[in-house]
C-alpha cells in the first residue's frame, strides 16, 4: 500500500501539467471513500438487496477491494504497464501481493471476518449475483475508479473538463436487474442521464487532452525504450516488485547515460514528427500499420518511436448500463443518450524521432499517408 | 434599470427550482462586468485593433450596452414576451426607453462623451467594422449575455450542467478577421475549442432541463391565457411600460378569480397530458400541428394549452465562429468540433389540459400521433 | 409555507447587495435539509441515543420543525419584526399558523404519525431530554438556522467571510451530556474547535458587514416609520397575516405618497449623519441614549431616525457548548477557543436625517458625543 | 528550477495529509502568477508610480524574482533547512545559484534586458524606493509567497481554514506612502481589512494545524538526526547542491539501517511523550529550556527529540502595513483590526522518545513542568 505513495498517479504528466504530482496512494484512498458512498446509494434504493449500516460486511468488503485494487501497479502507473516479467499482468500481480503474509496478517487482525481471498474474488468479478453487483462498484462502467480518477486528475491538472456532478450521479444511481440476463447491475434513473453523460464526456476529454497528451506519450515511449535497453522488467516475484517504484526507477535513470534516460530526466525528448487525426477508422489504422515497416527500414527502428493511442469512450453497450424511466420502464443508456451514441473510438498514431531526422520523417510519412487518400 | 430588480430572470422557474429567485437586474450587472473582461481579452490579442485602458471609450460603450441590453424586457422575462401592444417588440421597447429624457440626462452627466444613440447603434449591430465587432460582445454566438445567464442561472437553480470554464474561454478568445467577408468576429484559438464546446453543451442542457421545464412551461401558458382574458398587453408607451413588472402583475393575478390566475398563484396548473420527444423533425412538427385543429374541435380551445418549445443549440454556421489553429490557419467551429456538428435542434410539443380531461386528451393524442408511425 | 417565497430572506439587502434576492422559502428548505444531516451526525455518534434510519420519527420531526420554524415571519423578515398587533411575537404567530386547519390536515395526510403539536413543542424547546436535544438542532448555538443562513446569505451576497467548513463541522459534532446539569447538548470533538470558531467568526462578519449594513438599516427605519404613519401592523389573526408579504407591502408603498415610502421605493433614503464605533460599552450606550431626547427637541422626532444595532457574537457561555478532548475530557467552548473569548458584543448607533439637516445633526452629535470623552 | 519538482513543498506532510504531494515547483509557478496579479493591482491604483503593461520591465522583474525566490531550498523544504555546509543559509545559496552560468545565459537569451543581478537585488530588498516596493511583493506581510502557499497548501491538504478571499484582497490592495518614513509599502483600503484579517488567520491555522503538526514534526526531527549521524549537510557549492533533492535523500534513507532512517521510511517514528500548550510565555519557554539538560542526563540525548515550534502570527507592527480609510486617512493595520491585535505568538515544545521510554519521560516531564505552577 505505502509503496503507492511513490508512484505518480499520472506517470510523467507532472512534467506537462505541473499540478499533477499526486500519487496512486491518494487515488486509492479516494476510491475507497467513494466505494462506501456508492454502496450506501445502492443500498438505500435496493429494497433490502444490500444490508445497510456503516460496518456491514458487504460495505467493508467493497471498500477494501477499492483500496487494494491498484496495489499491483507498476512504476509510473500506465506508462510501461506491459513490462512484467514472466508474462504476468497487473491483475496477477495484485493477486500475488494479496497473498503475501503481511497482508494476510493485517486482514486477520483488523478484517473482522474479511479475508484476502474475499477481496481477490471481488476483484476477479465476484461469485454470487450480489458479489457481482459489488464487483461493479470497483470495476465497471460506473465504477469508483473512474469517478475518483476523473475528479482527482482534473483537479490536480487544473482542467475543468474532467469534472461532473458526483452528488447528482450518486443520488440517481440504483441497482437494476437486467430482465434479459437476470443479473444485477448499476444503473441510473431518468434524472441521472445527464450526470452520466457528463461523466462519459469528462472521460473522453481527459483521454484526448491529458492521458494521451503529446508530450506525455513521448516520455512514456522513452521509458519503454530505456527499460528495454537495460533489459529491465517489473519483477514477477512480489517481494522484489515492492522495491520498484518511481523513486527507484528515477534514481536509476539519473545515473544512466542512455539517450532515453536523458530524454526523460533532462526533459529533452524526441519531438513529434507526425500525428494522425484523433479518430482513425479501422481501415486507416491498418493502412498506417502497413506503412511502418518501410519507415523502419529507411530510418532505423531506434529512430522511430511510435505511439498508438486507442480508447473507447465507453462500453455502455457491452456492459448494459440501464436507465430506469420515471414510469419504471428500462432503456439501455446508449439509447437514452444522444451524445453517448455519437462518441466514436479514439485511435491516433504519433511518430517521434530525433531532431535531425524530424523533417525527413515528417515528409516521408506525410507523403505516404496522404497518397492513400488519392 | 431599477425596474429589472422586480423581474425574475427566469419567469416562473423559482416555483420549480427554489433558488431561481434572481432578477434580471443581477444578470445585466453580470453582463456588464463580463463585457469589460471580454473587451480586455480581445484587446490584448487584437494588435491595436481596440484601444486598451479601463476607461477607453470603446470599453465604456460595450459595458453600457451590456448593462442596458435588457431594459425592454417584459414582466416574467421570456414568459410572455410577444404580448407587446402596437406590434412592437422587446428591441423596439429598449430603443424607446433609451430615448427617455431621464436616460439621456444620465448619459450627459456621467457618460463622458457617450450618448444613448451610441448604445442604441451598438445594440442594433453597430456601424463601422470595429463597432460590429463590439456588438458581438453583447449579442452573438460568444456573447456576454449567454455567458452570464448560463453561469448565473445554473448557480441559482443548483444544477451543474450549465457551467463551463469561463477563464479558459476568455484566455482563448481573440478577434479574427473572416478572410471571405473581411468582417471582424469573435473566435477562439485551438486551445479554446473544448471550452467553447462546453459552453454550447451547457446551453443545450439548460434549455432542455430548465428553460423548457415541463412545469415552468405550464405556468407560462397560464400567464399568456390570463393576459389574453384580461385583454392585457405590455404597454408600447415607455412611461406606462415602466409601471409593469412582476410585482404589479403578481398583485393583479392575486386579485383575479380567473382559473389561469389561480393556476399560477396557487400553483394549481393544468397537468401535462401529452408530450413529444425532444427532437422532432420538421415533418413531425407539421404533422403535430395538423392534429391540433381536430383536438380543439373535440375538447375546446380553452381546454388545450399547447407549448411549442424550439431552439437551435447554436448558430455557429450562420454566425461563422472561427477557430485559429496553432499554425495560424482558420477553421469554422462546426468543423473543428465533433460534438457541435451532432447537436440537433430542440423541438418539442406539450399539451396541458384540466385534470378531468387529462386521460381523454392523452388517449386521443397518443392514438393519432402513434398512428402516423404505422 | 408558500408565502415565504414572497418574503426576502434579508429584507432590503437586495438593494445593497444585488444578489441577495433570495427568499425565506429557500432558507427553510435548506434548514430542513441540514436538520437531517445534523440528525444523522448526532445519531452516528450517539450510541443509540437517537434511532437511525432516514424515516425515523425523530428525524422526520426535527426536519419538519426546521421547515416550519420561520412561517411566522413578518414581511421583509427582520426589518420590522416587532410590529405585530396585539402584542404577540413571531413565535406566537408560528404557533397560531401551525394550528390552522390546513396545516393540521396536511400533517394528518402525510405526517405518518407526526402532529403539529409535536412540532410546536419542539419549537418551544422540547419536552423530554431527547426532545430538548432535538430542539437544539433547530435553535441553539449550533443550529441549522444559523448554518444555513450564513452559507446561503454569504453566497447570495457574494461575500466570502460568511462561509465555514460545514462538512468538517458535521463530522466533529456529537451529543454530549453536560456532567453538571445532566442535560444533553450539541458539542464538538477537539478536531472541530476550528470549524466552530470559523462559524462564529462568519456570523460576526455577516452581522457587522451585511445584516447591520448602513444603507440596509436606513431602509428598515423608513419601513418602520411608514408602517407607523399608516397605522399598520402585522395581523395577529393568522388568515389575515397570510395575506401580508413583501409583494403586498411593496405594492402599497408604491402607491403611497409618504416620504418614507418614496425613500424605499425610489431608494432615496435619509443619509447617515452620525455613527458610533462598532463596540460601545454599556456606559457609552447609556450616554448615547441620554443625548437623544435633547436632539429630538432640537430637530424634531420625525427628522431623526435612530438605528440601534446590537448583537452578541455568540452565547457559548450561557448555552454551555462543550468540547470533547481526544482523551475524553470535556471543556467549555469559550475556554477551548482563544478567539471566541475575545469577541465582544456589537453595539452601534447610527442617526439618519433628511439631507438639509445632515450637517447640523452631525455637528450637534459630534460635539456632544466627543465632549463626553474630555 | 526543475530540481524544485523533486522537493516536496511541505516536507513530510504528505505522510500525514495524503494530498500534500505537491512540489515547491508548483508553488513558485503560482507565486510568479500572483506576482503579476499583485503588480497589476498596485499599478492600477498607483497613479503612475508603476508602469502598466504586461511586459513592462518592472512587472517582468517581480515575476522573475517570485519564480526564483525558492531555488536555494534544501531537500524536504523547511524540514532541515539549517544544515547548510559552511555556515551559509538558504538566501546565500539562492544568490550562488543565480550566479551560475546556465542561469546567466538564460537571462541573456530570454530576459529582454533583465539580468540575474536585478533579481538578486530585488530578493535582497531592492535598491531605490520603487524597487523596495516591488521587493515587498515577493517578501513582506502581504507577499505572493504567503498568498500562494496558504491557498495551495490548504487545497492539497484538504483543509478549509487556509483559504481567504484572494480576489477581494487584490481588489483592495494599493501602494501607500508611509508619511513618517516616506517609504512606499503595500497596504489595503478600508474594505480590505476583513480580507487581510482572513489571510492572517488562515496563516495562523495553517501553522498550528499543518506546519506544526505533531507527526510531521517527529519526522523532521528524525531527518535531522539521520543527517547528523551520517555527517551530511547541504552542499555549499551550487553544482553539488543541485544534486540534492528529495529523491536522492529518500533513496539514501532507504538504504540506511539507521533507526532514524527507518523511522521515516517505515513511518515508525518516536511517539510524542509530552507537549506543552500552544502559546507559552517567554518565561515558560525559559523554564522549559532549563528542564532539558536534566532530562538529557537522565535519559540520554539520543532518546530525546525536542521540537521547538515558534511563529509570530504576523509582523504587522514592524512591517507597518497601513490601512487607507474611505476618508483618505491612514491607520496601522494592527489598530484597524481587533483580531490581529489579539493573536499571540505560537510557542510550543514537544518531546519525542522511543516507545519503551515514553511513560517514564512523560511522567518526569509532567512532574517537573507542573511543579513550576505550584
Amino acid at each position: 500500500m505505502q509503496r503507492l505513495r511513490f508512484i505518480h498517479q499520472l506517470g510523467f504528466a507532472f512534467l506537462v501539467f505541473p499540478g499533477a504530482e499526486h500519487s496512486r496512494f491518494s487515488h486509492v484512498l479516494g476510491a475507497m471513500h467513494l466505494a462506501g458512498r456508492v454502496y450506501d446509494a445502492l443500498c438505500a434504493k435496493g429494497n433490502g438487496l444490500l444490508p445497510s449500516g456503516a460496518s456491514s460486511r458487504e460495505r467493508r468488503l467493497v471498500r477494501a477491494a477499492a483500496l487494494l485494487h491498484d496495489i499491483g501497479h507498476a512504476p509510473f502507473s500506465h506508462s510501461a504497464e506491459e513490462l512484467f516479467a514472466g508474462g504476468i499482468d497487473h491483475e496477477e500481480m495484485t493477486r500475488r501481493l494479496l497473498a503475501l503474509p503481511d497482508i494476510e496478517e493485517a486482514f486477520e487482525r483488523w478484517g473482522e471476518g474479511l479475508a484476502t481471498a474475499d477481496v481477490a474474488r471481488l476483484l476477479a468479478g465476484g461469485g454470487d449475483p450480489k458479489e457481482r453487483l459489488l464487483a461493479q462498484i470497483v470495476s465497471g462502467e460506473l465504477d469508483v475508479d473512474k469517478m475518483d480518477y476523473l475528479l482527482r486528475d482534473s483537479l490536480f491538472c487544473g482542467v475543468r473538463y474532467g469534472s461532473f456532478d458526483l452528488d447528482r450521479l450518486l443520488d440517481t444511481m440504483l441497482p437494476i436487474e437486467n430482465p434479459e440476463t437476470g443479473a444485477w447491475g448499476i444503473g441510473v434513473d431518468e434524472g441521472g442521464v445527464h450526470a452520466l453523460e457528463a461523466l462519459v464526456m469528462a472521460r473522453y476529454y481527459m483521454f484526448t487532452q491529458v492521458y494521451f497528451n503529446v508530450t506525455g506519450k513521448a516520455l512514456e515511449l522513452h521509458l519503454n525504450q530505456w527499460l528495454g535497453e537495460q533489459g529491465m522488467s517489473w519483477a514477477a516475484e512480489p517481494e522484489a516488485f515492492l522495491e520498484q517504484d518511481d523513486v527507484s526507477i528515477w534514481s536509476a535513470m539519473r545515473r544512466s547515460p542512455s539517450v532515453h534516460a536523458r530524454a526523460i530526466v533532462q526533459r529533452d525528448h524526441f519531438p513529434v514528427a507526425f500525428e494522425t487525426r484523433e479518430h482513425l477508422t479501422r481501415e486507416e489504422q491498418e493502412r498506417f500499420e502497413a506503412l511502418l515497416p518501410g519507415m523502419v527500414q529507411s530510418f532505423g527502428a531506434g529512430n522511430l518511436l511510435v505511439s498508438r493511442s486507442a480508447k473507447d469512450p465507453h462500453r455502455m453497450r457491452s456492459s448494459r448500463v440501464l436507465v430506469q424511466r420515471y414510469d419504471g420502464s428500462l432503456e439501455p443508456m446508449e439509447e437514452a443518450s444522444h451524445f453517448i451514441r455519437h462518441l466514436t473510438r479514439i485511435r491516433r498514431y504519433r511518430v517521434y524521432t530525433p531532431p535531425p531526422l524530424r523533417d525527413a520523417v515528417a515528409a516521408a510519412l506525410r507523403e505516404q499517408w496522404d497518397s492513400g487518400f488519392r
Side-chain angles (χ1 to χ4, degrees), chain A:
Chain A
M1 268 306 299
Q2 296 288 341
R3 168 180 170 272
L4 295 185
R5 289 189 189 269
F6 302 99
I7 295 187
H8 282 89
Q9 163 76 358
L10 295 184
F12 298 114
F14 75 104
L15 297 172
V16 182
F17 299 89
E21 297 172 323
H22 54 306
S23 73
R24 208 146 273 270
F25 184 77
S26 64
H27 164 58
V28 297
L29 288 184
M32 177 178 71
H33 170 72
L34 288 181
R37 292 192 66 187
V38 171
Y39 182 90
D40 293 341
L42 297 179
C43 177
K45 292 183 206 140
N47 288 316
L49 183 69
L50 300 173
S52 69
S55 56
S56 75
R57 189 178 183 285
E58 282 79 357
R59 193 176 190 276
R60 287 184 293 117
L61 173 59
V62 78
R63 276 170 51 92
L67 181 67
L68 294 165
H69 82 284
D70 268 353
I71 50 171
H73 249 295
F76 299 104
S77 292
H78 296 286
S79 301
E81 62 188 335
E82 277 134 46
L83 293 191
F84 278 95
I88 71 164
D89 62 10
H90 158 265
E91 280 80 22
E92 172 59 21
M93 177 51 72
T94 297
R95 272 189 293 278
R96 293 185 182 187
L97 290 167
L98 280 175
L100 287 179
D102 280 10
I103 306 227
E104 290 277 12
E105 194 190 319
F107 269 79
E108 267 162 42
R109 287 178 62 180
W110 296 298
E112 297 177 34
L114 286 186
T116 57
D118 299 319
V119 172
R121 201 173 57 248
L122 205 76
L123 291 178
D128 62 37
K130 202 200 304 181
E131 270 193 11
R132 287 201 296 272
L133 174 62
L134 294 178
Q136 293 177 47
I137 297 178
V138 183
S139 178
E141 274 308 285
L142 262 159
D143 63 31
V144 296
D145 180 31
K146 217 177 259 93
M147 290 182 209
D148 183 81
Y149 77 64
L150 291 176
L151 294 176
R152 186 172 304 276
D153 296 347
S154 61
L155 175 70
F156 283 88
C157 289
V159 297
R160 281 278 298 271
Y161 37 74
S163 85
F164 58 92
D165 193 340
L166 174 67
D167 291 319
R168 179 75 178 159
L169 189 60
L170 289 172
D171 278 352
T172 59
M173 273 178 151
L174 75 177
I176 299 181
E177 193 177 4
N178 188 315
E180 292 170 25
T181 64
W184 285 95
I186 303 176
V188 293
D189 68 35
E190 189 170 345
V193 167
H194 291 297
L196 181 47
E197 284 177 346
L199 177 138
V200 171
M201 286 192 287
R203 187 163 169 268
Y204 175 83
Y205 282 134
M206 287 302 280
F207 269 97
T208 58
Q209 305 297 302
V210 176
Y211 306 145
F212 292 164
N213 176 275
V214 63
T215 301
K217 281 286 160 192
L219 297 168
E220 285 183 16
L221 290 166
H222 284 299
L223 173 65
N224 280 272
Q225 291 297 116
W226 181 75
L227 291 166
E229 273 179 6
Q230 311 292 314
M232 277 181 73
S233 58
W234 312 131
E237 199 271 321
E239 279 84 2
F241 179 77
L242 287 177
E243 303 292 315
Q244 297 178 320
D245 64 11
D246 290 14
V247 169
S248 69
I249 301 299
W250 195 271
S251 295
M253 288 193 297
R254 282 187 176 175
R255 292 188 302 264
S256 167
S258 154
V259 63
H260 297 298
R262 299 339 285 155
I264 295 171
V265 173
Q266 315 269 19
R267 276 157 306 282
D268 188 22
H269 57 85
F270 287 7
V272 66
F274 185 80
E275 66 177 346
T276 68
R277 293 184 303 107
E278 222 166 38
H279 299 283
L280 295 194
T281 62
R282 188 176 292 269
E283 294 72 45
E284 289 171 328
Q285 178 189 12
E286 285 167 11
R287 203 159 63 71
F288 197 89
E289 290 287 353
L291 297 181
L292 292 174
M295 292 294 295
V296 166
Q297 221 163 10
S298 307
F299 295 97
N303 289 325
L304 293 176
L305 305 192
V306 180
S307 145
R308 297 165 170 86
S309 302
K311 197 78 191 175
D312 282 320
H314 62 86
R315 294 188 186 170
M316 293 288 167
R317 195 166 311 256
S318 59
S319 65
R320 305 187 209 198
V321 173
L322 294 174
V323 174
Q324 183 173 294
R325 292 277 166 209
Y326 292 135
D327 64 7
S329 66
L330 300 176
E331 189 178 23
M333 180 64 191
E334 78 271 14
E335 283 177 32
S337 166
H338 183 73
F339 286 124
I340 281 182
R341 263 202 313 283
H342 282 96
L343 285 172
T344 54
R345 183 171 166 84
I346 305 167
R347 202 185 266 128
R348 159 177 266 176
Y349 283 82
R350 291 188 180 109
V351 179
Y352 301 84
T353 193
L357 294 178
R358 187 189 195 173
D359 290 347
V361 168
L365 271 168
R366 202 165 297 129
E367 205 223 307
Q368 294 183 55
W369 182 240
D370 290 351
S371 73
F373 293 102
R374 281 171 217 149

